[in-house]
């Protein structure tokens, strides 16, 4: 079987999802997880949505938690508005995960990676930063 690109994998996953073939999509993502380690956060998210659709709520939460434990977070909209997670909304485990996700988001969004201050600006008694 020829190796597929990540873009091809993504298209296949979306087609399987749209067709309601959640188990096939879950298995396909798992099959390629070791090849696309740089995209593990996406594969785990998709696998989590497939697990949730299959009623495997503990697995769905475990997959999301794995990424959070590695310091990766998802946008609140993905967790709150994904139809795949409808049944998980309000459950204690999911709400705890969403809170952990939000804490990671806040921590990452308030710590600048790099601050540049043009000479003569950004100080008390100087023109503002631009």
């Amino acid at each position: 079987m020829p190796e597929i690109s990540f873009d091809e994998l993504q298209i296949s996953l979306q087609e399987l999802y749209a067709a309601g073939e959640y188990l096939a999509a879950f298995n396909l993502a798992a099959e390629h997880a070791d090849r696309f380690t740089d995209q593990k956060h996406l594969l785990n998210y998709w696998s989590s949505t497939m697990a949730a659709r299959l009623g495997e709520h503990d697995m769905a939460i475990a997959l999301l938690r794995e990424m959070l434990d590695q310091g990766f977070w998802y946008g609140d909209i993905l967790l709150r508005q994904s139809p795949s997670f409808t049944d998980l909304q309000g459950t204690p485990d999911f709400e705890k995960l969403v809170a952990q996700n939000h804490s990671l988001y806040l921590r990452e969004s308030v710590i600048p990676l790099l601050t540049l201050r043009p000479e003569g600006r950004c100080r008390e008694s100087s023109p503002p930063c631009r």
Side-chain angles (χ1 to χ4, degrees):
M1 176 167 95
E3 289 190 3
I4 64 173
S5 70
F6 186 76
D7 288 338
E8 292 168 326
L9 173 61
Q10 182 173 290
I11 290 168
S12 293
L13 290 170
Q14 291 170 347
E15 288 172 350
L16 289 168
Y17 181 86
E21 298 290 332
Y22 307 128
L23 183 57
F26 182 88
N27 290 335
L28 183 62
E31 177 185 336
H32 293 282
D34 290 339
R35 275 196 55 224
F36 298 109
T37 56
D38 288 349
Q39 303 297 338
K40 186 171 182 176
H41 59 287
L42 289 174
L43 288 173
N44 268 34
Y45 175 77
W46 289 328
S47 295
S48 181
T49 63
M50 302 308 160
R53 291 284 183 158
L54 292 165
E56 297 291 337
H57 297 160
D58 290 342
M59 172 68 76
I61 289 171
L63 287 163
L64 292 173
R65 185 175 290 122
E66 178 183 342
M67 297 314 300
L68 293 175
D69 289 347
Q70 293 177 25
F72 188 87
W73 52 270
Y74 297 96
D76 287 343
I77 290 174
L78 283 178
L79 299 179
R80 288 297 188 193
Q81 295 183 11
S82 172
S84 296
F85 297 137
T86 299
D87 290 345
L88 296 172
Q89 301 296 328
T91 64
D93 287 342
F94 189 74
E95 294 304 321
K96 182 178 176 183
L97 183 136
V98 170
Q100 180 185 358
N101 182 76
H102 193 70
S103 293
L104 285 170
Y105 160 76
L106 290 175
R107 185 177 75 200
E108 293 295 322
S109 64
V110 297
I111 301 173
L113 296 176
L114 176 65
T115 302
L116 298 176
R117 292 186 174 164
E119 191 171 330
R121 294 190 178 271
C122 306
R123 292 176 176 68
E124 272 189 51
S125 77
S126 69
C129 299
R130 290 188 203 239

